[in-house]
Amino acid sequence: MTSRKKAVVLISGSGSNLQAFIDHINDGQLELDITLVISNKPDAFGLERATKAGIETDCLNHKEFDSRLSFDHALMQRIDETHADIVILAGFMRILTAEFVNHYRGRLVNIHPSLLPKYPGVDTHQRAINAGDEWHGASIHFVVPEVDAGPIILQGQLKLTDNDTASSLQQRIHTIEHQLYPQALSWFSADRLTIKNNKVLLDGETSAKQLQTFEV
Ligand code: GRF
């Protein structure tokens, strides 16, 4: 039997995705040990969620570092002390240096609230509304140095309604994120993911399971 994979989760805010991981682990739906949660903001609510779940936390305040690289070096050192198998970005609002990203290539994952490659960056919900899109969603992807790019593990989509605002869409997308991210992590944990020609394969092939449609 292979041992459970060890994860470090990086957050900056509410940590509702982190909570979804904790809940799925506690329910036995996700085999993963979150050994450390790190925030770059001291007041991130996600730190409280982690503490309540008995997970070690740390805060590396980016404002106390004189450069992006020195912050990333400290972050790498702290993560590597834990011998993490995977580093999970869950609402971590910092751009990471190429050195950091390359150090964790193939074991650094992120969630982005759009159907990438559509709408990298911010304001994704408003941009989808403005464009009159029929579908909007969230993507979980391996991280590469280019922001919000990288091979996509899993996407979830839902239909926009005439009444949707950026705020209602954000809430609807959040709901599906909480199902998608634990699912993607469970595939990683079970060694079911490979990257070939910049595409993520599930059990060795491109799978219909990697694009899921939700009605929420
Ligand atoms: C999510 O919407 C995610 O897509 C984005 O940041 C948000 C994090 O939310 N990258 P939370 O902190 O997990 O509640």
Side-chain angles (χ1 to χ4, degrees):
M1 202 179 94
T2 53
S3 60
R4 280 161 74 101
K5 293 203 190 317
K6 290 199 283 270
V8 172
V9 181
L10 305 188
I11 60 164
S12 299
S14 153
S16 68
N17 279 286
L18 167 67
Q19 188 65 54
F21 310 153
I22 293 168
D23 293 345
H24 280 73
I25 290 168
N26 289 343
D27 289 351
Q29 295 177 66
L30 174 59
E31 301 243 336
L32 193 67
D33 287 333
I34 302 175
T35 53
L36 177 64
V37 171
I38 306 176
S39 171
N40 65 315
K41 294 198 173 171
D43 58 351
F45 181 62
L47 291 173
E48 285 179 40
R49 297 183 192 267
T51 302
K52 202 170 164 204
I55 301 168
E56 187 182 347
T57 63
D58 206 348
C59 176
L60 294 184
N61 188 342
H62 62 275
K63 292 181 181 160
E64 292 171 7
F65 293 82
D66 56 15
S67 70
R68 197 173 283 282
L69 194 57
S70 62
F71 172 75
D72 280 10
H73 280 161
L75 200 53
M76 282 158 72
Q77 193 177 3
R78 188 68 184 92
I79 292 168
D80 289 348
E81 282 167 12
T82 71
H83 303 285
D85 298 296
I86 182 168
V87 179
I88 303 166
L89 306 179
F92 185 66
M93 305 305 282
R94 291 282 302 166
I95 291 175
L96 294 158
T97 58
E99 185 176 330
F100 182 98
V101 171
N102 288 329
H103 183 68
Y104 297 106
R105 195 170 269 258
R107 55 194 181 106
L108 177 62
V109 294
N110 183 40
I111 188 159
H112 182 73
S114 80
L115 293 170
L116 291 171
K118 272 193 164 181
Y119 314 130
V122 296
D123 295 331
T124 59
H125 311 303
Q126 192 59 53
R127 285 155 75 194
I129 292 171
N130 293 350
D133 287 354
E134 185 180 5
W135 296 94
H136 186 46
S139 306
I140 293 147
H141 62 95
F142 285 108
V143 178
V144 295
E146 189 191 339
V147 174
D148 297 330
I152 291 167
I153 300 168
L154 172 60
Q155 292 183 306
Q157 63 177 7
L158 46 74
K159 266 199 173 168
L160 273 83
T161 69
D162 291 342
N163 298 328
D164 264 320
T165 60
S167 152
S168 72
L169 256 188
Q170 184 183 23
Q171 280 177 32
R172 295 174 69 210
I173 298 292
H174 243 131
T175 308
I176 71 173
E177 287 184 3
H178 299 158
Q179 298 174 57
L180 288 171
Y181 217 165
Q183 168 77 80
L185 296 178
S186 76
W187 290 343
F188 181 92
S189 290
D191 288 322
R192 294 177 65 186
L193 302 176
T194 45
I195 305 174
K196 200 174 172 191
N197 299 330
N198 223 26
K199 292 240 176 309
V200 180
L201 307 180
L202 176 63
D203 300 327
E205 56 190 21
T206 305
S207 165
K209 290 181 190 155
Q210 290 172 278
L211 175 60
Q212 299 178 7
T213 300
F214 291 82
E215 286 182 26
V216 290

